[in-house]
Amino acid sequence: MYTNRVVHHKKFFRNINYNKLVNEILIHEKKLKKNDLYFEGGAALNFISENYKELNKILKQLHDSKKIANHFKSKFIINSCSAISDKKNYKRSSKWHRDVRYFNKNAHAEMILCIIPITLCDQSNGSTIFKLRNNKLVQKKLLPGDILIADASLLHRAGNKKGDKKRIIVTISLTPPHIKPIMDFSEIFKKFKTKSLYLKQLLGYTSRTPKTYKEFFQPEKNRFFQKDQIKN
């Protein structure tokens, strides 16, 4: 569904408090700064916590999406989840790049990029630009509640900001479970007090990599990579 495409779904999300979501992003940024982990400025990387209630509403609705499930034809997990609140300081997003580490223009998109606007995003404040295979440029106007889903192998970059209007987005990459995420989110999930099934799936707890022989040789029901994770 999303291979070689950029698809704008309007009013995708329901019942999200975007003011509270901005506050969750600011809390995450402060946490990173406190631990000297704030990367390049303007980006709250690895934006995951059981305490981020509005973010987790978004994750639940992504998990339940039939459109995304139909694309993968299997379960899927989070590869990365970040928020960008200051494009001026986060220079990496302003350069043309792909979010995949390999490129095959004929392959089915095994990674999709979800861009979730927290504020209005348009040409004036640098809405993301995609370059399609035919070199056509696509830059969409997005409103809170919308989602832009694209093949992560497409070249893209942040647009040029023309004014002072702030642009805040959450970017989430999704993949089938056999592709390793940028961070072992399953270790984070183990520390969560509430073991929500959708977070268990999205954070890769049912598609882990065993570290020892003991972890590898388990009864089927206890295996780290569960058989329901493969394609239907």
Side-chain angles (χ1 to χ4, degrees):
M1 182 173 182
Y2 301 110
T3 300
N4 294 328
R5 298 181 66 202
V6 177
V7 181
H8 180 194
H9 297 297
K10 296 182 180 180
K11 298 180 180 179
F12 183 91
F13 295 107
R14 297 286 186 269
N15 302 317
I16 306 298
N17 186 318
Y18 288 94
N19 290 326
K20 289 184 178 180
L21 182 55
V22 169
N23 189 55
E24 291 173 358
I25 293 170
L26 295 176
I27 289 172
H28 194 70
E29 288 179 353
K30 288 178 182 178
K31 184 165 65 174
L32 295 177
K33 287 177 180 177
K34 182 179 179 181
N35 292 285
D36 295 324
L37 297 173
Y38 201 50
F39 179 66
E40 291 189 44
L45 303 185
N46 299 319
F47 180 41
I48 295 286
S49 171
E50 67 177 328
N51 297 321
Y52 299 155
K53 305 300 183 185
E54 301 307 313
L55 172 64
N56 289 337
K57 289 180 188 176
I58 286 175
L59 298 183
K60 177 69 164 62
Q61 291 177 53
L62 290 175
H63 173 271
D64 294 345
S65 170
K66 292 182 179 179
K67 293 182 175 70
I68 295 174
N70 286 339
H71 171 79
F72 287 117
K73 299 292 191 294
S74 71
K75 306 277 189 178
F76 54 90
I77 63 171
I78 292 172
N79 182 271
S80 66
C81 181
S82 301
I84 298 174
S85 60
D86 188 350
K87 173 187 168 293
K88 182 179 179 181
N89 289 327
Y90 190 57
K91 295 180 173 57
R92 188 168 70 98
S93 68
S94 299
K95 300 176 182 178
W96 287 110
H97 64 281
R98 309 179 199 274
D99 287 351
V100 294
R101 295 290 181 261
Y102 55 90
F103 175 59
N104 180 345
K105 66 180 181 180
N106 298 316
H108 178 77
E110 285 201 305
M111 178 187 289
I112 59 173
L113 172 62
C114 302
I115 297 179
I116 301 159
I118 312 306
T119 60
L120 168 70
C121 297
D122 59 16
Q123 289 185 356
S124 69
N125 64 351
S127 183
T128 306
I129 304 172
F130 286 85
K131 183 181 287 188
L132 303 181
R133 303 284 187 240
N134 60 6
N135 289 322
K136 179 183 177 182
L137 299 181
V138 176
Q139 186 177 33
K140 298 285 188 179
K141 177 181 178 179
L142 306 175
L143 298 173
D146 294 354
I147 188 172
L148 193 73
I149 303 181
D151 183 337
S153 70
L154 291 173
L155 285 168
H156 59 281
R157 67 173 177 84
N160 297 318
K161 191 174 181 180
K162 300 174 184 177
D164 296 327
K165 190 164 58 176
K166 204 166 184 65
R167 169 178 170 265
I168 304 175
I169 60 173
V170 171
T171 61
I172 300 174
S173 295
L174 301 173
T175 67
H178 67 269
I179 296 178
K180 287 185 178 181
I182 63 168
M183 183 174 173
D184 188 356
F185 296 118
S186 67
E187 286 295 315
I188 297 175
F189 177 77
K190 286 200 301 189
K191 299 176 183 177
F192 285 5
K193 294 177 183 177
T194 304
K195 304 297 186 184
S196 301
L197 292 178
Y198 75 95
L199 287 175
K200 185 177 184 179
Q201 172 60 43
L202 288 178
L203 298 183
Y205 193 78
T206 51
S207 54
R208 293 173 292 157
T209 301
K211 301 182 184 70
T212 65
Y213 283 121
K214 184 176 181 180
E215 289 181 347
F216 183 86
F217 291 105
Q218 291 286 327
E220 185 174 293
K221 66 177 182 178
N222 297 331
R223 286 177 185 169
F224 277 39
F225 197 106
Q226 292 289 301
K227 66 178 182 179
D228 69 345
Q229 300 297 296
I230 60 177
K231 286 190 176 184
N232 297 328

Coordinates of all heavy atoms in Angstrom, one line a residue, residues 87-173:
K87 N 13.6 22.6 14.2 CA 14.3 22.2 13.0 C 15.6 23.0 12.8 O 16.5 22.5 12.2 CB 13.3 22.5 11.8 CG 14.0 22.3 10.4 CD 13.1 22.8 9.3 CE 13.8 22.9 8.0 NZ 14.8 24.0 8.0
K88 N 15.6 24.3 13.3 CA 16.8 25.1 13.1 C 18.0 24.4 13.7 O 19.1 24.5 13.1 CB 16.6 26.5 13.8 CG 17.7 27.4 13.6 CD 17.4 28.8 14.3 CE 18.6 29.7 14.1 NZ 18.3 31.0 14.8
N89 N 17.9 23.8 14.9 CA 19.0 23.2 15.5 C 19.2 21.7 15.1 O 20.3 21.2 15.2 CB 18.8 23.2 17.0 CG 19.0 24.6 17.6 OD1 19.8 25.4 17.1 ND2 18.2 24.9 18.6
Y90 N 18.1 21.1 14.6 CA 18.3 19.7 14.1 C 18.6 19.7 12.7 O 17.7 19.5 11.8 CB 17.0 18.9 14.5 CG 17.1 17.4 14.3 CD1 18.1 16.7 14.9 CD2 16.2 16.8 13.4 CE1 18.2 15.3 14.8 CE2 16.3 15.4 13.3 CZ 17.3 14.7 13.9 OH 17.4 13.3 13.8
K91 N 19.8 19.9 12.3 CA 20.2 20.1 10.9 C 20.2 18.8 10.1 O 20.1 18.9 8.9 CB 21.6 20.7 10.9 CG 21.7 22.1 11.5 CD 23.1 22.7 11.4 CE 23.2 24.1 11.9 NZ 22.7 24.3 13.2
R92 N 20.3 17.7 10.7 CA 20.3 16.4 9.9 C 19.1 16.2 9.1 O 19.1 15.7 8.0 CB 20.5 15.2 10.9 CG 20.8 13.9 10.2 CD 21.2 12.9 11.2 NE 20.1 12.5 12.1 CZ 19.4 11.4 11.9 NH1 19.6 10.6 10.9 NH2 18.4 11.1 12.8
S93 N 17.9 16.7 9.6 CA 16.7 16.5 8.9 C 16.6 17.4 7.7 O 15.7 17.2 6.8 CB 15.5 16.7 9.8 OG 15.4 18.1 10.2
S94 N 17.4 18.4 7.6 CA 17.3 19.3 6.4 C 18.1 18.8 5.2 O 18.1 19.5 4.2 CB 17.9 20.7 6.9 OG 17.1 21.2 7.9
K95 N 18.8 17.7 5.3 CA 19.5 17.1 4.2 C 18.7 16.0 3.6 O 18.1 15.2 4.3 CB 20.9 16.6 4.7 CG 21.8 17.7 5.3 CD 23.1 17.1 5.8 CE 23.9 18.2 6.5 NZ 25.2 17.7 7.1
W96 N 18.8 15.8 2.3 CA 18.2 14.7 1.6 C 18.7 13.4 2.2 O 19.9 13.2 2.4 CB 18.4 14.7 0.1 CG 17.7 15.7 -0.6 CD1 18.2 16.8 -1.2 CD2 16.3 15.7 -0.8 NE1 17.2 17.6 -1.8 CE2 16.0 16.9 -1.6 CE3 15.2 14.9 -0.5 CZ2 14.7 17.3 -2.0 CZ3 13.9 15.2 -0.9 CH2 13.7 16.4 -1.7
H97 N 17.8 12.5 2.6 CA 18.3 11.2 3.2 C 17.2 10.2 3.1 O 16.0 10.5 2.8 CB 18.6 11.4 4.7 CG 17.5 11.8 5.5 ND1 17.0 13.1 5.6 CD2 16.7 11.1 6.4 CE1 16.0 13.2 6.4 NE2 15.8 12.0 6.9
R98 N 17.5 8.9 3.3 CA 16.6 7.8 3.4 C 16.7 7.3 4.8 O 17.7 7.3 5.4 CB 16.9 6.7 2.4 CG 17.1 7.1 0.9 CD 17.5 5.9 0.1 NE 18.1 6.3 -1.2 CZ 17.4 6.6 -2.3 NH1 16.1 6.6 -2.3 NH2 18.1 6.9 -3.4
D99 N 15.6 6.7 5.3 CA 15.6 6.1 6.6 C 16.0 4.6 6.7 O 15.9 4.0 7.7 CB 14.3 6.4 7.3 CG 14.1 7.8 7.7 OD1 15.1 8.6 7.6 OD2 13.0 8.2 8.1
V100 N 16.3 4.1 5.5 CA 16.7 2.7 5.5 C 18.2 2.6 5.3 O 18.8 3.5 4.7 CB 16.0 1.9 4.4 CG1 14.5 1.8 4.7 CG2 16.2 2.5 3.0
R101 N 18.8 1.5 5.7 CA 20.2 1.3 5.6 C 20.6 0.5 4.3 O 21.8 0.3 4.0 CB 20.8 0.5 6.8 CG 20.6 1.2 8.1 CD 21.6 2.4 8.2 NE 21.5 3.1 9.4 CZ 20.8 4.2 9.6 NH1 20.1 4.7 8.6 NH2 20.7 4.8 10.8
Y102 N 19.6 0.1 3.5 CA 19.8 -0.5 2.2 C 18.8 0.0 1.3 O 17.8 0.5 1.7 CB 19.7 -2.1 2.4 CG 18.4 -2.5 3.0 CD1 17.3 -2.8 2.2 CD2 18.3 -2.6 4.4 CE1 16.1 -3.2 2.7 CE2 17.1 -3.0 4.9 CZ 16.0 -3.3 4.1 OH 14.8 -3.7 4.6
F103 N 19.0 -0.2 0.0 CA 18.1 0.4 -1.0 C 17.9 -0.5 -2.2 O 18.8 -0.9 -2.8 CB 18.6 1.7 -1.5 CG 17.7 2.4 -2.5 CD1 16.4 2.6 -2.3 CD2 18.2 2.7 -3.8 CE1 15.6 3.2 -3.3 CE2 17.5 3.2 -4.8 CZ 16.1 3.5 -4.5
N104 N 16.6 -0.9 -2.4 CA 16.3 -1.7 -3.6 C 15.0 -1.1 -4.1 O 13.9 -1.3 -3.5 CB 16.1 -3.2 -3.2 CG 15.7 -4.0 -4.4 OD1 15.3 -3.5 -5.4 ND2 15.8 -5.3 -4.3
K105 N 15.0 -0.4 -5.2 CA 13.9 0.4 -5.6 C 12.7 -0.5 -6.0 O 11.6 0.0 -6.1 CB 14.3 1.3 -6.8 CG 14.7 0.6 -8.1 CD 15.1 1.6 -9.2 CE 15.5 0.8 -10.5 NZ 15.8 1.8 -11.5
N106 N 13.0 -1.8 -6.3 CA 11.9 -2.7 -6.7 C 11.3 -3.5 -5.5 O 10.4 -4.3 -5.7 CB 12.4 -3.7 -7.7 CG 12.9 -2.9 -9.0 OD1 12.2 -2.0 -9.5 ND2 14.0 -3.3 -9.5
A107 N 11.8 -3.3 -4.3 CA 11.4 -4.1 -3.2 C 10.2 -3.5 -2.5 O 9.9 -2.3 -2.6 CB 12.5 -4.2 -2.2
H108 N 9.4 -4.4 -1.9 CA 8.3 -4.0 -1.1 C 8.8 -3.2 0.1 O 9.8 -3.6 0.7 CB 7.5 -5.2 -0.6 CG 6.3 -4.9 0.3 ND1 5.1 -4.4 -0.2 CD2 6.2 -5.0 1.7 CE1 4.3 -4.2 0.9 NE2 4.9 -4.6 2.0
A109 N 8.1 -2.1 0.5 CA 8.6 -1.3 1.6 C 8.6 -2.0 2.9 O 7.5 -2.2 3.4 CB 7.8 0.0 1.6
E110 N 9.7 -2.4 3.4 CA 9.7 -3.1 4.7 C 9.8 -2.1 5.8 O 9.6 -2.5 7.0 CB 10.9 -4.1 4.7 CG 10.7 -5.3 3.9 CD 11.6 -6.4 4.4 OE1 12.9 -6.2 4.5 OE2 11.1 -7.5 4.7
M111 N 10.0 -0.9 5.6 CA 10.0 0.2 6.6 C 9.1 1.3 6.1 O 9.3 1.8 4.9 CB 11.3 0.7 7.0 CG 11.3 1.8 8.0 SD 12.9 2.6 8.3 CE 13.7 1.3 9.2
I112 N 8.1 1.7 6.9 CA 7.3 2.9 6.5 C 7.6 4.0 7.6 O 7.8 3.7 8.7 CB 5.8 2.5 6.4 CG1 5.3 2.0 7.7 CG2 5.6 1.6 5.2 CD1 3.7 1.8 7.7
L113 N 7.6 5.2 7.1 CA 7.8 6.4 7.9 C 6.5 7.0 8.2 O 5.8 7.4 7.2 CB 8.8 7.3 7.3 CG 9.0 8.7 7.9 CD1 9.5 8.5 9.3 CD2 9.9 9.5 7.1
C114 N 6.1 7.2 9.5 CA 4.9 7.9 9.8 C 5.2 9.3 10.4 O 6.0 9.4 11.4 CB 4.1 7.1 10.9 SG 3.7 5.4 10.4
I115 N 4.8 10.3 9.7 CA 5.0 11.7 10.2 C 3.6 12.2 10.8 O 2.6 12.2 10.1 CB 5.4 12.6 9.0 CG1 6.8 12.1 8.5 CG2 5.5 14.0 9.5 CD1 7.3 12.9 7.4
I116 N 3.7 12.5 12.0 CA 2.5 12.9 12.8 C 2.6 14.3 13.2 O 3.5 14.7 14.0 CB 2.3 12.0 14.0 CG1 2.2 10.5 13.6 CG2 1.1 12.4 14.8 CD1 2.5 9.5 14.6
P117 N 1.9 15.2 12.6 CA 2.0 16.7 12.9 C 1.3 17.0 14.3 O 0.2 16.6 14.6 CB 1.2 17.4 11.8 CG 0.2 16.3 11.4 CD 0.8 15.0 11.6
I118 N 2.1 17.7 15.1 CA 1.6 18.2 16.4 C 1.1 19.6 16.3 O 0.2 20.0 17.0 CB 2.7 18.1 17.5 CG1 3.3 16.7 17.5 CG2 2.1 18.3 18.9 CD1 2.4 15.5 17.5
T119 N 1.7 20.3 15.3 CA 1.2 21.7 15.0 C 0.9 21.6 13.5 O 1.2 20.6 12.8 CB 2.3 22.7 15.2 OG1 3.5 22.3 14.4 CG2 2.7 22.7 16.6
L120 N 0.3 22.7 13.0 CA 0.1 22.8 11.5 C 1.5 22.7 10.8 O 2.4 23.4 11.3 CB -0.5 24.2 11.2 CG -0.5 24.6 9.7 CD1 -1.5 23.7 8.9 CD2 -0.9 26.1 9.6
C121 N 1.6 21.9 9.8 CA 2.8 21.8 9.0 C 2.5 22.1 7.5 O 1.7 21.5 6.9 CB 3.4 20.4 9.1 SG 3.9 20.0 10.8
D122 N 3.2 23.1 7.0 CA 3.0 23.5 5.6 C 4.3 24.0 5.0 O 5.3 24.0 5.7 CB 1.8 24.4 5.4 CG 1.9 25.7 6.1 OD1 3.1 26.0 6.6 OD2 0.9 26.4 6.3
Q123 N 4.2 24.6 3.8 CA 5.4 25.1 3.2 C 6.1 26.2 4.0 O 7.3 26.4 4.1 CB 5.1 25.7 1.8 CG 4.8 24.6 0.8 CD 4.6 25.2 -0.6 OE1 4.6 26.4 -0.8 NE2 4.4 24.3 -1.6
S124 N 5.3 27.0 4.7 CA 5.8 28.2 5.5 C 6.7 27.8 6.7 O 7.6 28.5 7.0 CB 4.7 29.1 6.0 OG 3.9 28.4 7.0
N125 N 6.5 26.6 7.3 CA 7.3 26.2 8.4 C 8.1 24.9 8.2 O 8.5 24.3 9.1 CB 6.5 26.1 9.7 CG 5.4 25.1 9.6 OD1 5.2 24.4 8.6 ND2 4.8 24.8 10.8
G126 N 8.2 24.6 6.9 CA 9.2 23.5 6.6 C 8.6 22.1 6.6 O 9.3 21.1 7.0
S127 N 7.3 21.9 6.2 CA 6.8 20.6 6.1 C 7.7 19.7 5.3 O 8.3 20.1 4.3 CB 5.4 20.7 5.4 OG 4.7 19.4 5.4
T128 N 7.7 18.4 5.6 CA 8.7 17.4 5.0 C 8.4 17.3 3.5 O 7.3 17.2 3.0 CB 8.5 16.1 5.7 OG1 8.7 16.2 7.1 CG2 9.6 15.1 5.1
I129 N 9.5 17.3 2.7 CA 9.4 17.2 1.3 C 9.9 15.8 0.9 O 11.0 15.3 1.4 CB 10.3 18.2 0.5 CG1 9.9 19.6 1.0 CG2 10.2 18.0 -1.0 CD1 10.9 20.7 0.4
F130 N 9.2 15.1 0.1 CA 9.6 13.7 -0.4 C 9.9 13.8 -1.9 O 9.3 14.6 -2.7 CB 8.5 12.7 -0.2 CG 8.4 12.3 1.2 CD1 7.6 13.0 2.1 CD2 9.0 11.1 1.7 CE1 7.5 12.6 3.4 CE2 8.9 10.7 3.0 CZ 8.1 11.5 3.9
K131 N 10.9 13.1 -2.4 CA 11.2 13.0 -3.8 C 10.8 11.6 -4.2 O 11.4 10.5 -3.8 CB 12.7 13.2 -4.0 CG 13.1 13.2 -5.5 CD 14.6 13.4 -5.7 CE 15.0 14.8 -5.5 NZ 16.4 15.1 -5.9
L132 N 9.8 11.5 -5.1 CA 9.4 10.2 -5.7 C 10.3 9.6 -6.7 O 11.3 10.3 -7.1 CB 8.0 10.4 -6.3 CG 6.9 10.9 -5.3 CD1 5.5 11.0 -6.1 CD2 6.7 10.1 -4.1
R133 N 10.1 8.4 -7.1 CA 11.0 7.7 -8.0 C 11.1 8.5 -9.4 O 12.1 8.4 -10.0 CB 10.6 6.3 -8.3 CG 10.4 5.4 -7.1 CD 11.8 5.0 -6.5 NE 11.6 4.0 -5.4 CZ 12.0 4.2 -4.2 NH1 12.7 5.3 -3.9 NH2 11.8 3.3 -3.3
N134 N 10.1 9.2 -9.7 CA 10.1 10.0 -11.0 C 10.6 11.4 -10.8 O 10.5 12.2 -11.7 CB 8.7 10.0 -11.6 CG 7.7 10.7 -10.7 OD1 8.0 11.2 -9.6 ND2 6.4 10.7 -11.1
N135 N 11.2 11.6 -9.6 CA 11.8 12.9 -9.2 C 10.8 14.0 -8.9 O 11.1 15.2 -8.7 CB 12.8 13.4 -10.3 CG 14.1 12.6 -10.3 OD1 14.6 12.2 -9.3 ND2 14.6 12.3 -11.5
K136 N 9.5 13.6 -8.9 CA 8.5 14.6 -8.5 C 8.6 14.9 -7.0 O 8.8 13.9 -6.2 CB 7.1 14.1 -8.8 CG 6.0 15.0 -8.4 CD 4.6 14.4 -8.7 CE 3.5 15.2 -8.2 NZ 2.1 14.6 -8.5
L137 N 8.5 16.1 -6.6 CA 8.5 16.5 -5.2 C 7.1 16.6 -4.6 O 6.2 17.1 -5.2 CB 9.3 17.8 -5.0 CG 10.7 17.9 -5.5 CD1 11.3 19.3 -5.2 CD2 11.6 16.8 -4.8
V138 N 7.0 16.1 -3.4 CA 5.7 16.1 -2.7 C 5.9 16.7 -1.4 O 6.7 16.3 -0.6 CB 5.1 14.6 -2.5 CG1 3.9 14.7 -1.7 CG2 4.9 14.0 -3.9
Q139 N 5.1 17.8 -1.1 CA 5.1 18.5 0.2 C 3.7 18.7 0.6 O 3.0 19.5 0.0 CB 5.9 19.8 0.1 CG 6.1 20.5 1.5 CD 7.0 21.7 1.4 OE1 6.9 22.4 0.3 NE2 7.7 22.0 2.4
K140 N 3.2 18.1 1.6 CA 1.8 18.1 2.0 C 1.6 19.1 3.2 O 2.5 19.3 4.0 CB 1.3 16.8 2.5 CG 1.4 15.7 1.4 CD 0.3 15.9 0.4 CE 0.2 14.7 -0.6 NZ -0.9 14.8 -1.6
K141 N 0.4 19.7 3.2 CA 0.0 20.5 4.4 C -0.7 19.5 5.3 O -1.7 18.8 5.0 CB -1.0 21.6 3.9 CG -1.6 22.4 5.1 CD -2.6 23.4 4.6 CE -3.2 24.2 5.7 NZ -4.2 25.2 5.3
L142 N -0.2 19.5 6.5 CA -0.7 18.5 7.5 C -1.3 19.3 8.7 O -0.8 20.3 9.2 CB 0.4 17.6 8.0 CG 1.2 16.8 6.9 CD1 2.3 16.1 7.6 CD2 0.2 15.9 6.2
L143 N -2.4 18.7 9.3 CA -3.0 19.3 10.5 C -3.0 18.3 11.6 O -2.9 17.1 11.3 CB -4.5 19.6 10.2 CG -4.8 20.7 9.1 CD1 -6.3 20.7 8.8 CD2 -4.3 22.0 9.5
P144 N -2.9 18.7 12.9 CA -3.0 17.8 14.0 C -4.2 16.8 13.8 O -5.3 17.3 13.5 CB -3.2 18.7 15.2 CG -2.5 20.0 14.8 CD -2.8 20.1 13.3
G145 N -4.0 15.6 13.9 CA -5.0 14.5 13.7 C -4.7 13.8 12.4 O -5.2 12.6 12.2
D146 N -3.9 14.4 11.5 CA -3.5 13.7 10.3 C -2.3 12.9 10.5 O -1.7 12.9 11.5 CB -3.1 14.8 9.2 CG -4.3 15.6 8.7 OD1 -5.5 15.4 9.2 OD2 -4.1 16.6 8.0
I147 N -2.0 12.1 9.5 CA -0.8 11.3 9.4 C -0.3 11.2 8.0 O -1.1 11.1 7.1 CB -0.9 9.9 10.0 CG1 0.5 9.2 10.2 CG2 -1.9 9.0 9.2 CD1 0.4 7.9 11.0
L148 N 1.0 11.3 7.8 CA 1.6 11.1 6.5 C 2.4 9.8 6.6 O 3.3 9.7 7.4 CB 2.5 12.3 6.1 CG 3.0 12.3 4.6 CD1 1.8 12.8 3.7 CD2 4.1 13.3 4.4
I149 N 2.1 8.8 5.7 CA 2.8 7.6 5.8 C 3.5 7.4 4.4 O 2.9 7.5 3.4 CB 1.9 6.4 6.0 CG1 1.1 6.6 7.3 CG2 2.6 5.1 6.1 CD1 0.2 5.5 7.7
A150 N 4.8 7.1 4.5 CA 5.6 7.0 3.3 C 6.5 5.8 3.3 O 6.9 5.4 4.4 CB 6.4 8.3 3.1
D151 N 6.9 5.4 2.1 CA 8.0 4.4 2.0 C 9.3 5.1 2.5 O 9.7 6.1 2.0 CB 8.1 4.1 0.5 CG 9.1 3.0 0.2 OD1 10.1 2.8 1.0 OD2 9.0 2.4 -0.9
A152 N 9.9 4.5 3.5 CA 11.0 5.1 4.2 C 12.3 5.1 3.3 O 13.3 5.7 3.6 CB 11.3 4.4 5.5
S153 N 12.2 4.3 2.2 CA 13.4 4.3 1.3 C 13.3 5.5 0.3 O 14.3 5.8 -0.5 CB 13.4 3.0 0.4 OG 12.4 3.0 -0.5
L154 N 12.2 6.3 0.3 CA 12.2 7.5 -0.5 C 13.0 8.6 0.1 O 13.1 8.8 1.3 CB 10.7 8.0 -0.6 CG 9.7 7.2 -1.4 CD1 8.3 7.7 -1.2 CD2 10.1 7.1 -2.9
L155 N 13.7 9.3 -0.8 CA 14.5 10.5 -0.3 C 13.5 11.5 0.3 O 12.5 11.8 -0.3 CB 15.3 11.1 -1.5 CG 16.5 10.3 -1.9 CD1 17.0 10.9 -3.3 CD2 17.6 10.4 -0.9
H156 N 13.9 12.1 1.4 CA 13.1 13.2 2.0 C 14.0 14.1 2.8 O 15.1 13.8 3.2 CB 12.0 12.6 2.8 CG 12.4 11.7 3.9 ND1 12.8 10.4 3.7 CD2 12.5 11.9 5.3 CE1 13.2 9.9 4.9 NE2 13.0 10.8 5.8
R157 N 13.5 15.3 3.1 CA 14.1 16.2 4.0 C 13.1 17.2 4.5 O 12.0 17.3 3.9 CB 15.2 17.0 3.2 CG 14.7 17.9 2.1 CD 15.9 18.7 1.5 NE 15.5 19.6 0.4 CZ 14.9 20.8 0.6 NH1 14.7 21.3 1.8 NH2 14.6 21.5 -0.5
A158 N 13.5 18.0 5.5 CA 12.6 19.0 6.0 C 12.6 20.2 5.0 O 13.6 20.4 4.3 CB 13.1 19.5 7.3
G159 N 11.5 20.8 4.8 CA 11.4 22.0 3.9 C 12.1 23.2 4.5 O 12.6 23.2 5.7
N160 N 12.2 24.3 3.7 CA 12.8 25.5 4.2 C 11.8 26.3 4.9 O 10.7 26.7 4.4 CB 13.3 26.3 3.0 CG 14.4 25.5 2.2 OD1 15.3 24.9 2.9 ND2 14.3 25.5 0.9
K161 N 12.1 26.7 6.2 CA 11.2 27.5 7.0 C 11.3 28.9 6.6 O 12.4 29.5 6.4 CB 11.6 27.3 8.5 CG 10.6 27.9 9.4 CD 11.1 27.5 10.9 CE 10.1 28.1 11.9 NZ 10.4 27.7 13.3
K162 N 10.1 29.6 6.4 CA 10.1 30.9 5.9 C 9.7 32.0 6.9 O 9.7 33.1 6.6 CB 9.1 31.0 4.7 CG 9.5 30.1 3.5 CD 8.4 30.1 2.4 CE 8.8 29.1 1.3 NZ 7.7 29.0 0.3
G163 N 9.2 31.5 8.1 CA 8.8 32.4 9.1 C 9.1 31.9 10.5 O 10.0 31.1 10.7
D164 N 8.4 32.4 11.5 CA 8.6 32.0 12.9 C 7.6 31.0 13.4 O 7.7 30.6 14.5 CB 8.5 33.3 13.8 CG 9.6 34.3 13.4 OD1 10.7 33.9 13.0 OD2 9.4 35.5 13.6
K165 N 6.8 30.5 12.5 CA 5.7 29.5 12.9 C 6.4 28.2 13.3 O 7.2 27.7 12.5 CB 4.7 29.4 11.8 CG 3.5 28.6 12.2 CD 2.4 28.7 11.2 CE 2.8 28.3 9.8 NZ 1.7 28.4 8.8
K166 N 6.1 27.8 14.5 CA 6.8 26.5 15.0 C 6.2 25.3 14.3 O 5.1 25.2 14.0 CB 6.6 26.4 16.5 CG 7.6 25.6 17.2 CD 7.6 25.8 18.7 CE 8.7 25.1 19.4 NZ 10.0 25.6 19.1
R167 N 7.1 24.3 14.1 CA 6.7 23.0 13.5 C 7.2 21.9 14.4 O 8.4 21.8 14.7 CB 7.4 22.9 12.1 CG 7.3 21.5 11.5 CD 8.0 21.4 10.1 NE 8.2 20.1 9.6 CZ 9.3 19.4 9.7 NH1 10.3 19.8 10.4 NH2 9.3 18.2 9.2
I168 N 6.2 21.2 15.0 CA 6.5 20.1 15.9 C 5.9 18.8 15.3 O 4.7 18.8 14.9 CB 6.0 20.3 17.3 CG1 6.5 21.6 17.9 CG2 6.3 19.2 18.2 CD1 5.9 22.0 19.2
I169 N 6.7 17.8 15.1 CA 6.2 16.5 14.6 C 6.7 15.4 15.4 O 7.8 15.5 16.1 CB 6.6 16.3 13.1 CG1 8.2 16.3 13.0 CG2 6.0 17.4 12.2 CD1 8.7 16.0 11.6
V170 N 6.0 14.3 15.4 CA 6.5 13.0 15.9 C 6.7 12.1 14.7 O 5.9 12.0 13.8 CB 5.5 12.3 16.8 CG1 5.9 10.9 17.2 CG2 5.4 13.2 18.1
T171 N 7.9 11.5 14.6 CA 8.2 10.6 13.5 C 8.4 9.2 14.0 O 9.1 8.9 15.0 CB 9.5 11.0 12.7 OG1 10.6 11.0 13.6 CG2 9.3 12.4 12.2
I172 N 7.6 8.2 13.5 CA 7.7 6.8 13.9 C 7.9 6.0 12.7 O 7.2 6.0 11.7 CB 6.4 6.4 14.6 CG1 6.1 7.3 15.8 CG2 6.4 5.0 15.0 CD1 4.7 7.1 16.5
S173 N 9.0 5.1 12.8 CA 9.2 4.2 11.7 C 8.7 2.8 12.2 O 9.0 2.4 13.3 CB 10.7 4.1 11.4 OG 11.2 5.3 10.9

